[in-house]
Amino acid sequence: MEVTIEEVFEAYYECRKHKRNKEGALAFEVNLEENLVELYNELKDGTWQPEHSFVFIVKKPVPREIFAASFRDRIVHHLIIRRLNPYLEKYFIYDSYACRENKGTHAAISRVEHFIRSSSCNGSKNSFVLKIDIQSFFMSINRIKLYKMLEEFINKIYCPAVKNNAEFEKQICKKIIFNETTKYAVMRCSAAEWNILPKNKSLFNAKENCGLPIGNLTSQVFANFYLSLFDHYVKHELKVEKYVRYVDDCVITSESKSYLKNLVPKMRKFLEENLFLTLHPKKIYLQPCNCGVQFLGCYIKPNYTVCSHRVAANFKSMLIKQKELVQKRKIVKSEKLFFRASVNSYLGIMCHYKTYKLRIKLLGVLMSSFWKKYFCIKIDARKVIASNL
């Protein structure tokens, strides 16, 4: 199907959600219609090429290398994903999560909670949980294999009756997948900051024709698609019932420990032979459900779920830094708003789990008297609200 100007506008509106005040979005909007028409013409005649990305390191929750595509390219990412998503959703198994509507972290955690409770009869009988992790997942994705899978998917599933009209989708996907992101990337932080990042976590050190840039919408969706081959193997060939995957973190529960143990070599072999991926040898976790499992920033047991020590420690660290900041200098309004947003972000995560006493303790001890002049804590400790800005 040929691209339309309406599609380009729709992709633009979706792309700018919550990011309208960002530098790239503002620059693009200066000559909005002209820029969108130019992009439309390039997509229509096949001359569109990805621009350079900005690359930087984020330190929390763990150090990661992030590539931010230009605003113009992100419009194209939204456009192609809008086209592919209806068909991808039909292909994905129910229990693959991340970058899907109503399939975020909380949904994945809730599903693991359900499987742990059902396997163990709410902790009253023996059952086991297996968690596996793929080593350097994003950096190990084979782009040749990925594109071949995507091309076959587009031909056979996406539009089997009109294959000739799928050239646009294949052309755009090919340009995005094989774009030499690192070659033209613009550094947005010092080279020294890369020292905290393990070498196998950087796209700059990936093997030839391997790796997708973390930070792009297309990378998240394509990575999910890449591992969907593994999902179907686990569900339909190994016949595993209680299986949840969020990106490259997989959790399986069962009443039989030996059953779970025997799954590991089969899954390892499939990943190595079919997707050129390796199970992380130090991140294979097999324990009784009553011992719990750490998953997506929380710790799940049959009767309750709490946030992980790392989330609590990061929240505590943030509060301490803000407490020290007000002792050094005068705080302006924008910093007060940033403080509120940061606190509510952590509370928003923690309030999903059994953390009421922890939230009260951290806020009570670490919120300085300065901040208490401007914000008050809601009685349920789910958020702080402005009282005197």
Side-chain angles (χ1 to χ4, degrees):
M1 183 172 69
E2 205 173 82
V3 67
T4 66
I5 189 66
E6 289 81 11
E7 270 188 291
V8 176
F9 270 84
E10 287 167 4
Y12 157 72
Y13 288 124
E14 192 169 287
C15 184
R16 79 174 189 182
K17 284 179 184 176
H18 312 300
K19 295 184 178 179
R20 198 169 185 183
N21 293 324
K22 298 287 185 179
E23 182 183 341
L26 291 170
F28 192 87
E29 284 190 356
V30 172
N31 297 301
L32 179 59
E33 290 190 9
E34 181 182 326
N35 287 333
L36 287 173
V37 170
E38 181 183 31
L39 179 58
Y40 161 70
N41 287 330
E42 288 181 19
L43 291 169
K44 189 177 180 181
D45 61 26
T47 59
W48 173 79
Q49 293 292 337
E51 296 180 339
H52 65 259
S53 296
F54 296 101
V55 59
F56 52 92
I57 300 293
V58 296
K59 297 177 183 178
K60 291 183 179 180
V62 294
R64 287 190 188 278
E65 178 183 78
I66 302 296
F67 286 83
S70 70
F71 185 78
R72 192 175 194 266
D73 285 352
R74 294 203 300 272
I75 294 173
V76 179
H77 296 172
H78 278 273
L79 188 150
I80 195 65
I81 296 305
R82 280 170 62 89
R83 282 197 170 196
L84 293 175
N85 247 346
Y87 306 96
L88 289 170
E89 281 298 318
K90 293 177 183 177
Y91 175 64
F92 291 152
I93 66 165
Y94 179 85
D95 281 316
S96 79
Y97 296 79
C99 211
R100 298 175 64 189
E101 191 172 354
N102 300 318
K103 298 277 186 176
T105 55
H106 296 310
I109 291 166
S110 177
R111 191 65 165 166
V112 171
E113 288 173 332
H114 168 70
F115 284 154
I116 285 179
R117 284 196 302 267
S118 63
S119 292
S120 65
C121 288
N122 293 323
S124 64
K125 72 174 186 179
N126 287 335
S127 64
F128 300 86
V129 57
L130 169 68
K131 181 186 171 189
I132 59 172
D133 182 277
I134 295 169
Q135 195 164 28
S136 305
F137 173 52
F138 272 89
M139 303 309 123
S140 302
I141 292 172
N142 185 292
R143 288 184 280 173
I144 295 172
K145 173 70 175 179
L146 169 63
Y147 180 69
K148 184 178 178 182
M149 287 172 59
L150 203 48
E151 185 180 40
E152 290 176 358
F153 175 80
I154 290 170
N155 284 338
K156 295 177 182 178
I157 303 173
Y158 173 53
C159 46
V162 284
K163 288 181 183 177
N164 291 336
N165 289 335
E167 292 308 311
F168 173 79
E169 284 81 355
K170 289 187 284 186
Q171 180 193 81
I172 296 298
C173 288
K174 190 172 188 177
K175 287 180 178 180
I176 292 171
I177 290 169
F178 291 105
N179 177 39
E180 294 297 336
T181 314
T182 56
K183 191 174 180 180
Y184 304 105
V186 177
M187 301 289 186
R188 276 289 175 90
C189 60
S190 67
E193 293 192 57
W194 261 260
N195 293 335
I196 66 172
L197 189 73
K199 288 191 174 181
N200 63 348
K201 297 290 184 180
S202 174
L203 196 60
F204 291 95
N205 299 318
K207 294 178 182 178
E208 186 178 2
N209 284 317
C210 286
L212 294 180
I214 295 175
N216 289 347
L217 171 65
T218 47
S219 295
Q220 296 176 67
V221 176
F222 291 165
N224 204 13
F225 173 74
Y226 194 71
L227 267 185
S228 62
L229 195 67
F230 178 65
D231 293 338
H232 286 283
Y233 168 72
V234 171
K235 293 295 289 183
H236 302 132
E237 292 191 41
L238 296 181
K239 307 293 184 183
V240 175
E241 292 182 10
K242 297 178 174 69
Y243 165 82
V244 172
R245 178 177 65 80
Y246 186 95
V247 191
D248 62 326
D249 286 340
C250 306
V251 174
I252 301 172
T253 64
S254 172
E255 296 173 21
S256 169
K257 184 177 182 179
S258 59
Y259 169 74
L260 293 175
K261 194 173 182 179
N262 290 332
L263 286 177
V264 175
K266 295 176 184 177
M267 294 189 294
R268 180 187 286 116
K269 183 179 179 183
F270 181 89
L271 286 167
E272 289 175 353
E273 292 182 354
N274 294 277
L275 295 171
F276 315 112
L277 298 173
T278 305
L279 281 186
H280 200 301
K282 296 181 180 179
K283 293 185 178 180
I284 299 173
Y285 175 99
L286 178 57
Q287 291 286 347
C289 285
N290 284 336
C291 292
V293 62
Q294 190 165 310
F295 183 61
L296 304 181
C298 67
Y299 208 78
I300 306 171
K301 284 194 167 189
N303 297 313
Y304 62 88
T305 299
V306 295
C307 68
S308 70
H309 295 306
R310 187 173 69 190
V311 173
N314 287 343
F315 187 26
K316 182 178 180 180
S317 175
M318 185 276 291
L319 287 170
I320 290 172
K321 286 179 181 178
Q322 293 293 337
K323 195 173 184 178
E324 292 171 348
L325 181 65
V326 300
Q327 295 171 350
K328 294 178 180 178
R329 59 177 174 81
K330 187 176 180 180
I331 304 300
V332 298
K333 185 175 180 179
S334 61
E335 290 174 310
K336 296 172 188 174
L337 293 173
F338 177 77
F339 171 80
R340 181 178 65 179
S342 298
V343 170
N344 285 339
S345 176
Y346 278 106
L347 293 178
I349 295 169
M350 296 173 72
C351 72
H352 284 86
Y353 316 113
K354 194 175 180 179
T355 58
Y356 174 74
K357 290 182 180 179
L358 177 62
R359 299 194 311 267
I360 288 292
K361 180 182 176 181
L362 290 174
L363 291 170
V365 173
L366 297 171
M367 258 184 80
S368 67
S369 57
F370 172 85
W371 292 115
K372 289 175 182 176
K373 290 189 296 185
Y374 300 100
F375 303 103
C376 61
I377 305 167
K378 290 196 72 175
I379 194 167
D380 58 3
R382 287 175 173 264
K383 66 189 299 186
V384 297
I385 55 176
S387 58
N388 184 26
L389 279 181

